[in-house]
Every structure is written in structure tokens, then in C-alpha cells.
Amino acid sequence: MSQRFSTDVLVIGGGAAGLCSALNLAEHCRVTMLCKGGIESSASHWAQGGVAAVTNPADSVSSHAADTISAGAGLCNEMIVSTTVAQAPEIIDSLINWGVEFDQSQNSFHLTQEGGHSFRRILHVADATGRAINERLTERALDHPNIELFNDRVAIDLITLDETVKNSKHCAGAYVLNTSTGHVEVFQSKFTILATGGASKGYLYTTNPDGSTGDGIAMAWRAGCRVANMEFNQFHPTCLYHPLNKSFLISETVRGEGGILRLPSGERFMQRFDPRMELAPRDIVARAIDHEIKRLGIECVYLDISHRPKQAIEQQFPTIAQRCKDHGIDISTDPIPVVPAAHYTCGGVLVDQKGATDISGLYAIGETSCTGLHGANRLASNSLLECLVFGTSAARDIIERLDTKLLQTKIPKWDESQVTNSDEEVIISHNWDELRRSMWDYVGIVRTDKRLQRAQRRIELLKQEINEYYSNYRVSSDLIELRNLIHVADLIVHSALSRKESRGLHYNIDHPEPDPSTKNTILSKKSVTALDFSQPLAS
Ligand code: FAD
Ligand code: SIN
């Protein structure tokens, strides 16, 4: 039997963004949180480096803002940047109040360094910062009487109702697959927050967990929200290269602590690409590695931290040292084989400074959203910060509107009358592989118009096949995720084709120069237009 639930706020996603909003809201109303899997299904759980925040009096908020804007290559919203980085110290206090114990050194925070930061300003918990944050916030959420957490739930689509008064749409919750029972449930809510993370699983090689399939972006797009800057996919330069471990990240803080990138010959090479060498922003380092791999026909490059004292390495990088050791690599003596891999979705659902989307009652926060903070390239360790800042501001905005009544409209139940059980699951696995490989080969670190057009043709065919399959068969989590990824891939390629320049994470050999009149890419269902973030959103 499929069930119905109703709540004040439905939070879809239990990573840093979802947990932060839920904990802020729970002091004022009932919150229902949905997660696809357990706590480790979120990217937040795997975050290594840390959270960027100015805590050292010698550093400054304006320097953090300037580094963010410089990495963002001309497309950051400077108002969003300055308000976000200014809130970072307050966010760190909230995390400490929730029980997160950042590493200390001589009675102050131990601060580490990452690419593009002109100051040591990354607070961390060894090399497993995300796990520490997610565990503490999850414990708090589980203990809170106003938060009900449902695992093994995959949101399929948002429920939207036409608001006759304002002639616009209102989000009234979501249809959700219970993967334990196979039934589709109705979650009705006054407010809905999408906190479903990014879409890096659309690429063959990624640092992300399996659930990063762009569900929130695809659901919001189908419901009628605009999405922005989808062409800016961040590739992390250093993912472990090992046949038995395809998606383990080697944190940028390894380079921050002196790690050197070398060719198989032992030669250092980053000085040929940028004076900041290993600590140049990620787009530059990832492109340099990609260039060397292709130029020399090699499988990987090496990250060497072996010149640092063994004890310091093991103290700061216990997780990385252990994982490498499991694969026979002693990082205190051996260089680590690394390759770039898809890591972060800079674009997403277009929101205002409170996380509000184009649809009333619907918010998007964290990696699912596009706030204007990252522009064309995210600065390291600014993502957890964004999750927490926007998780807090979305919650505050909702709290002010809590007297909204739950709509009394009876939501129709999920219609399964036209579908049967699938007899050809192979279509799903085949199409997954084809999509991820096409994205890697044609929409990767270095793009051309021809490659993008090739990807567009493949995606069009896949989209038709998946949509047909979706109309005829009962939904499964694999099918839901694949359908979302196809829709997101379509948005990525569409955006990439419309950007006739190279900037930040989007590098196209056919248009290698930046265009001085550049704009953010904003897609709406009606048209593809380039508008500036400074234009206010319709409310
Ligand atoms: P996530 O943490 O990905 O959470 C998404 C949640 O949504 C999950 O609970 C998932 O189960 C749920 N979900 C998804 N779809 C559905 C659905 N359809 N129905 C129900 N639930 C759903 N950033 C930093 O700032 N510092 C770092 O040090 C850092 N290190 C990183 C290391 C790694 C290996 C990775 C992958 C990323 C790292 N990042 C880092 C990026 C950062 O971790 C993420 O951008 C951020 O954690 C995203 O948080 P989120 O809450 O938006 O989404
Ligand atoms: C890392 O530790 O290298 C990841 C940091 C980030 O993605 O911000």
C-alpha cells in the first residue's frame, strides 16, 4: 500500500545542506528529511579538505572574497560572495556548537592551504572533515523530536499546483519511491527544500558517491525552474588512480602541505603551466594534468608528499595514508598515482540569496543550487561553506513564512495503471554506461564544438529511449537516477554549446579566448538566454 505523509517542511537530502537547514528549522516546525541511502550516500560524508573561513586575524574576509572571485573567472555574483564569506566565522561557531571538533594547533585552529587561496584558511578535521560534520549533524537530527528522517526514499518528482491568485506555481511536496517496499508515497508539505547534491555521477570517472545523479536539478527543471551555469563541471586534479579503487580523492590539502606533481620520469611539470604551480586553481591544474597525460600517452601522473616527515603526513592525512596503504602505496615513501575526475557541479537550480527558486514554496540549497558564489569555477572548500550558509538562510526565510497553511487540495496518488514490471533491465545498465562514457569523452576537461554536438546527438537518442522506458515500466531507483542524469546531461551540453568562449571550467579549443562581454548561462524551458545574476528573480 502506498502511504501519504504531511509535514511543514520536506527536506530532500541528508548531506551538509539538508542537515543544516533541518536543524535550524526544527526549533520552529515539523521537518521531514528524505535520503536515498544512509549517511554515506552524500558527498558531504566524503569531504576531505575542510571548510574555508577567515578565523586568523592576519587574514581578511576581503581576501577570501577576492580569491573566490578570482577563481570564479568573471562570473561570480559579488554580493553573494561577500555575504557568504562574511558569514563563515558564524557558521564555524554553529558547527562547533553542534559538536564538530576542528583540529587545533597551539590553542587556535590548525589551518591548512588549498589551491587558489592566498592564505591558510581551511579548517579541517584531519582529512575527513565531511564525515565529522555529517556524523555530528546527523546525531543531532536523529535526537531532535521535530525531525523525522526517512532513509531508502528516492524522490521522483515534485508535486506542483497552479496558484490561481498569483498565476504561478506552488510546490506542495514530492512523489517518493520507498525502495524497501517498491511503493510510491506522497509527501505533502508547506515548503520543500531540494538538498540533493550534484551530478558528477554523469561522468565515467568521478570522486563522488553513486547518488550524485543530479536528482534535484532534474526535478526542479521538470517542474519549471530555471537552471544556470550547467557547463561548469569541476574536475578535481587528483583522484587516486588504481584499478580497484576508482573514485577515492587525494585531497588538495596534500598539495597545500607541499605535495609535488610529477611525471612518471620524476620531472615536476606545473611550473610550465602557472607560476602558482601545484597551488593554482583546480581548472588550471586539472587541464595541465590532462594535457601531460595526452601528450605523453601515460595513464596517470604522480603526487609526491614523501619529502615531508612521516609523522606529519600520518597525523594530517590518516584516511588517505590508510586507503593508499590498502593498495600497497606507502605515501611517506612512494608517490601517489593520480588522475583528474569529475568532482563538483558549479551550476544548478537558480536561486536568490535565501535559496528560493522560481516556484513558490520550493528552495534549493547546496550543490543542487546555483547561488552565484562559484561563478565559472569553485574555489576549494567553499562548497561546505555554501551548504551551511544557504541551509541557514533558507531555514530563516521559511521560518518567517510559517503561518502559510498546508494546501487542502487532495494530491492525486501516483498513477501506475499504465505501467508493468520491466523485462529488460539491461537497457538501463547499457544506457548508464553509454551516457557516462559519452560525457567523459565529449564533454570533459577539454571540449570542442564537434565533440559537444556528438554528445548532443547521443543524449537525444538516450533521452527518447529512457523516456519511453519510463512511460511503460514501474519506476526503480536506477531508472529514476538515469532519467535525471539524462536530463541533466542535456542541460550541460546545451549550456556548453551556447558558450562560445573559454572561461573557468569550460575550455573549448574552438573558442579558446574569453569573451569580455560574457554572461551567466541561464536556461528556462521557454528559451536559452544569457542573463546577468544581478537581475532580480521574479518572486
Ligand atoms: P550531498 O552531501 O551530496 O547530499 C545529498 C543528499 O541528497 C544525500 O543524502 C542523498 O542521499 C540525497 N538525495 C539525492 N537525491 C535524492 C533523491 N532523489 N531522493 C532522496 N534523497 C536524495 N567541499 C568542501 O567545501 N570541502 C571539502 O573538503 C570537500 N571535499 C570533497 C571531497 C569529495 C570526495 C567530494 C565528492 C566532494 C568534496 N567537496 C568538498 C564538495 C562537497 O562535499 C559537496 O559539494 C557538498 O558536500 C554537497 O553537499 P549537499 O548537502 O549539497 O549534497
Ligand atoms: C579536497 O579536499 O581536495 C576537496 C576540497 C573541495 O572539493 O573543496
Side-chain angles (χ1 to χ4, degrees), residues 11-20 33-52 114 122-124 127-130 134 150-157 175-177 194-198 200 206-209 211-216 219 234 236 247-253 282 342-345 365-369 374 378-388 480-481 484:
V11 178
I12 307 178
L19 284 163
C20 175
M33 273 186 73
L34 308 178
C35 290
K36 284 210 267 206
I39 179 174
E40 70 298 333
S41 70
S42 68
S44 302
H45 181 78
W46 299 99
Q48 293 185 352
V51 186
E114 287 182 307
I122 318 297
L123 284 83
H124 64 105
D127 58 353
T129 312
N134 249 32
F150 292 81
N151 282 332
D152 303 321
R153 297 298 202 286
V154 186
I156 307 171
D157 262 320
Y175 290 111
V176 177
L177 175 69
L194 291 169
T196 52
S200 291
T206 173
T207 61
N208 279 218
S212 301
T213 49
D215 297 4
M219 283 190 277
Q234 185 169 74
H236 197 293
S247 57
F248 185 74
L249 180 75
I250 306 297
S251 175
E252 190 150 325
T253 50
R282 273 182 201 169
H343 182 65
Y344 185 83
T345 309
I365 54 174
E367 199 172 332
T368 293
S369 65
H374 309 308
R378 173 177 69 95
L379 185 67
S381 287
N382 266 356
S383 171
L384 287 173
L385 176 63
E386 184 190 50
C387 289
L388 299 159
I480 294 166
E481 291 184 336
N484 289 333

Side-chain angles (χ1 to χ4, degrees), residues 191 352 354 356 363 392-402:
F191 299 94
D352 66 11
K354 293 162 183 164
Y363 293 73
T392 307
S393 43
R396 284 184 185 149
D397 195 52
I398 290 173
I399 290 163
E400 279 178 19
R401 295 161 193 256
L402 270 176

Side-chain angles (χ1 to χ4, degrees), residues 295-340:
R295 180 175 75 86
L296 297 168
I298 51 180
E299 292 190 325
C300 62
V301 297
Y302 292 87
L303 180 59
D304 188 0
I305 185 82
S306 62
H307 50 284
R308 294 288 318 276
K310 187 178 169 73
Q311 199 200 349
I313 294 175
E314 285 176 354
Q315 190 179 339
Q316 194 167 345
F317 305 114
T319 317
I320 294 172
Q322 184 57 50
R323 184 64 72 98
C324 287
K325 194 168 164 208
D326 293 344
H327 296 301
I329 304 158
D330 177 351
I331 69 169
S332 67
T333 53
D334 306 330
I336 310 166
V338 291
V339 286

Side-chain angles (χ1 to χ4, degrees), residues 465-480:
E465 236 172 61
I466 295 301
N467 284 343
E468 195 184 309
Y469 194 92
Y470 184 81
S471 318
N472 292 327
Y473 298 112
R474 274 204 177 89
V475 288
S476 64
S477 53
D478 279 351
L479 177 56
I480 294 166

